[in-house]
Amino acid sequence: MSYRRLGKSGLFVHPIALGTMQFGWSADEEASYAVMDAFVEAGGNLIDTADIYSNWTPNNPGGVSEEIIGRWVKSRGNRDRVVIATKVRGPMGQNGSEGRNHPLQREGLSRKWILRAAEDSLRRLQTDHIDLYQVHWVDNQVPIEETLSALTDLVRRGWVRYVGCSNFSAWRLMQALWASDKHGLESFVSVQPEYSLVQPTRANFEREIARVCEAYGLGVIPYSPLAGGFLTGKYRRGENLPESVRAQGVANSRMNEQNWALLDKVLEVAAGRNAHPAQVALAWLLAKPYVTAPIVGANSVAQLRDLMPAASLQLSSEEVAALNEVSSWPLSRTEREV
């Protein structure tokens, strides 16, 4: 296992990143501290969060995950040991109540909100800089040039080291890269997409966005690499759903015949490697030349320890080909370009 360069940036990160959406939601502060301690002990360094996490839960106005991370970093005195990534875009307040239809308008990718949101995130994280500041998704009411200009100012102030994006379509990503090049603005060094073996998620990313990332050297840090837990093997065909806050969403979006067949193949490969099925799913992503580090979430140290060995699991070309085949889709004419 070796640390990987994030796109063309100067950031080098462990092949497994830690997502923190669950902090203050399904993991309390004590459990969150334990997970982060175990992550760093295992060599991990990239911790990913967002300003809105997790304002869909009771008594959470957003920013709670950032606050937990900030208190943990301060208590451990390890700011130089971790790479902190956070995001801006979504509406703040309980259930996103302080968005554009609220007098505070704490939402979006305008210069006004980005500069304020970054300041708020720095305060919650108890740090003087954010290593990777990402736009959470597109804001089609604000010109991309305004967004990139504000992000550039944050870099020049020293508040932010690098900038990235999440949930961008291929054409939006190309528009942003073109605007950065034309106007001499900071350029995205990474993309955070939903990406895993399951369909249609795999096709949604590989169809076009993956090509942009590979051609222009952007790092890819996929979220939901285990498809909401589907690829861990805890869901089985014909069995009742497990007790989980995400179980129904997984059932509605991932449980189809192709994905059940895929899970069978993942379990087969895992058994042959004496590995956890989640490790196989992560190792498949890490075999992609454009993937830097999948982002995993864990509510407990035990869950995290099941995942971290994926960083050193190298699948054979035959195993990768078998997983590719069972998760494939009919290619369009443009997808057949070489």
Side-chain angles (χ1 to χ4, degrees):
M1 188 278 294
S2 60
Y3 288 78
R4 296 177 168 211
R5 185 182 180 191
L6 183 65
K8 294 181 178 179
S9 78
L11 289 176
F12 287 79
V13 300
H14 188 276
I16 303 296
L18 180 65
T20 63
M21 178 188 290
Q22 70 276 16
F23 291 179
W25 177 22
S26 54
D28 62 18
E29 188 150 342
E30 182 180 359
S32 301
Y33 276 36
V35 167
M36 288 187 282
D37 285 341
F39 178 67
V40 169
E41 182 180 350
N45 64 337
L46 175 56
I47 297 177
D48 179 78
T49 189
D51 56 4
I52 62 171
Y53 291 168
S54 296
N55 63 7
W56 51 87
T57 63
N59 303 313
N60 188 329
V64 171
S65 174
E66 289 183 330
E67 290 172 347
I68 290 173
I69 294 167
R71 288 191 289 268
W72 173 79
V73 169
K74 184 177 181 179
S75 70
R76 302 305 191 255
N78 64 355
R79 179 64 186 90
D80 290 341
R81 173 67 181 75
V82 293
V83 174
I84 294 179
T86 191
K87 310 180 199 74
V88 60
R89 164 63 177 92
M92 298 294 288
Q94 182 72 61
N95 294 316
S97 59
E98 296 178 358
R100 287 199 170 102
N101 292 321
H102 186 279
L104 292 176
Q105 297 190 10
R106 301 172 68 209
E107 174 186 10
L109 296 179
S110 67
R111 167 178 291 277
K112 180 179 185 297
W113 177 237
I114 285 176
L115 297 180
R116 173 60 190 275
E119 188 174 6
D120 290 347
S121 286
L122 288 168
R123 184 185 66 255
R124 289 189 291 260
L125 290 163
Q126 302 193 48
T127 185
D128 64 353
H129 70 280
I130 296 163
D131 296 298
L132 179 64
Y133 199 42
Q134 304 157 101
V135 294
H136 210 155
W137 62 89
V138 165
D139 184 348
N140 58 18
Q141 298 187 57
V142 176
I144 189 62
E145 292 83 0
E146 178 177 340
T147 297
L148 291 167
S149 175
L151 294 173
T152 299
D153 285 350
L154 290 176
V155 173
R156 291 174 180 171
R157 290 183 186 187
W159 291 8
V160 166
R161 299 297 188 252
Y162 300 95
V163 297
C165 66
S166 180
N167 299 305
F168 268 44
S169 63
W171 83 265
R172 290 283 191 182
L173 181 54
M174 286 302 306
Q175 180 192 41
L177 296 176
W178 178 83
S180 294
D181 186 58
K182 179 182 179 183
H183 300 290
L185 301 171
E186 285 293 317
S187 186
F188 295 143
V189 301
S190 62
V191 175
Q192 186 177 145
E194 182 179 8
Y195 182 33
S196 70
L197 267 166
V198 303
Q199 288 296 2
T201 306
R202 181 188 168 198
N204 289 343
F205 177 71
E206 289 188 18
R207 189 171 280 125
E208 290 186 333
I209 308 171
R211 298 184 182 197
V212 176
C213 295
E214 190 166 20
Y216 292 93
L218 279 76
V220 178
I221 46 177
Y223 71 85
S224 199
L226 302 176
F230 182 78
L231 293 172
T232 66
K234 69 179 180 180
Y235 298 91
R236 296 301 175 95
R237 192 195 310 255
E239 295 184 4
N240 293 331
L241 295 178
E243 292 293 330
S244 168
V245 295
R246 297 185 178 184
Q248 193 56 55
V250 171
N252 292 338
S253 61
R254 278 105 176 186
M255 294 182 184
N256 57 56
E257 284 306 310
Q258 181 177 17
N259 287 335
W260 284 125
L262 163 65
L263 181 59
D264 289 341
K265 180 57 68 174
V266 169
L267 293 170
E268 178 186 322
V269 173
R273 289 300 198 103
N274 194 28
H276 193 286
Q279 295 169 12
V280 171
L282 294 170
W284 176 85
L285 282 169
L286 287 168
K288 297 291 184 180
Y290 40 78
V291 170
T292 305
I295 300 170
V296 303
N299 291 318
S300 67
V301 172
Q303 287 180 347
L304 183 71
R305 287 177 176 161
D306 282 340
L307 304 175
M308 295 302 285
S312 55
L313 176 60
Q314 293 188 329
L315 300 180
S316 69
S317 57
E318 292 79 13
E319 289 168 329
V320 171
L323 292 168
N324 286 344
E325 176 61 27
V326 74
S327 62
S328 64
W329 68 96
L331 299 181
S332 68
R333 183 166 183 167
T334 53
E335 289 176 279
R336 296 180 183 277
E337 293 174 350
V338 294

